[in-house]
Amino acid sequence: MTPQDQSRQTKALCQLAPVIPVIVIKDAGHAEGLARALVAGGLPVLEVTLRSDAALDAIRAMSRVSGGHVGAGTVLTPDDAKRAKDAGASFAVSPGLTDRLIAACEDLALPLLPGAVTASEVMRAADAGFDMLKFFPAEAVGGAPALKSLAGPLPRISFCPTGGVTPQNAGSYLSLPNVVCVGGSWIVTDADMAAGNWHAIEDRARTAAALRG
C-alpha cells in the first residue's frame, strides 16, 4: 500500500468525526465497553496508544465493536506497526516519520498517519507521498496560529492536530482550512474508565462529535 493510498484512507477516517479520542488503556477489560460508549456517542475512530502493556489486547477487543475503527498510536518502529496490525488495528499513528516505518507500513498495508510540525518535516512527508498528517505536539509548537501558517505554502496538506487540544481550543483548530479533525484525550478520563462510567464518556463523546470550527 503506497503512502498516497494510506493518506487517502486515513483522511477518510479523519472525516468521519471532528474528534479522534486518544486513549491510554491500562486494563484491557475496559476496552470493549469504552469502545461501545465512544461509538454510540458519535466518535467511531479511536486511537489506542501503545503506552501500556494492555494496549494490544485492548485493540483486539475494541476492533470487535461494530461501527468502530480502531488504530494504534505511538507507533515508532516496524515492530510496533506489525504488532498493531496483528492485533487488529486498522490504522497507525506516529509522532514522526522514518524510512523504516514508511517501508514497514507499505509492506503491511497498514495506513499510517505520520506526525510533522515544521515545514521541512511536512515537505519530507509530502515527498514520500503523504498528504494527511498528524500535527504534534500542537499546543507546544504554537497551536492553531502555527498550523494556520503552514496552510499558505503547503495548501495540499491536511492535518489532525493533537497534543494540548481541549474543548476550549478545539474550535480554533477545526476552523482552519487545513484541519480535518483533532485528536483529544479529554473525552476518556482515567476515573470514568476505571469505574466503568460509560454514560459519562458517551456524553462527552456526543458533545465532542458536535464540535465545529
Side-chain angles (χ1 to χ4, degrees), residues 12-148:
L13 289 171
C14 287
Q15 289 171 332
L16 293 178
V19 181
I20 295 177
V22 180
I23 312 161
V24 178
I25 297 183
K26 299 175 183 177
D27 182 350
H30 298 140
E32 186 171 343
L34 175 61
R36 291 187 186 282
L38 292 168
V39 171
L43 301 181
V45 184
L46 317 175
E47 177 187 338
V48 178
T49 65
L50 300 184
R51 300 182 194 175
S52 75
D53 293 337
L56 293 172
D57 286 336
I59 290 171
R60 287 187 185 93
M62 296 171 86
S63 65
R64 296 193 292 267
V65 173
S66 178
H69 305 272
V70 184
T74 323
V75 174
L76 307 178
T77 67
D79 184 59
D80 288 341
K82 185 178 187 308
R83 291 185 300 128
K85 178 70 179 287
D86 290 345
S90 58
F91 64 98
V93 184
S94 178
L97 184 63
T98 68
D99 291 338
R100 293 175 66 232
L101 193 56
I102 292 172
C105 289
E106 285 183 325
D107 291 344
L108 292 166
L110 180 65
L112 175 66
L113 180 65
V117 292
T118 68
S120 291
E121 290 171 351
V122 174
M123 289 169 64
R124 178 179 184 267
D127 193 52
F130 295 96
D131 61 12
M132 180 71 222
L133 305 176
K134 173 178 177 171
F135 186 75
F136 172 86
E139 282 293 290
V141 297
L147 192 48
K148 181 180 180 180

Side-chain angles (χ1 to χ4, degrees), residues 159-176:
F159 294 92
C160 170
T162 70
V165 180
T166 68
Q168 290 72 39
N169 63 24
S172 64
Y173 287 102
L174 291 168
S175 67
L176 299 177

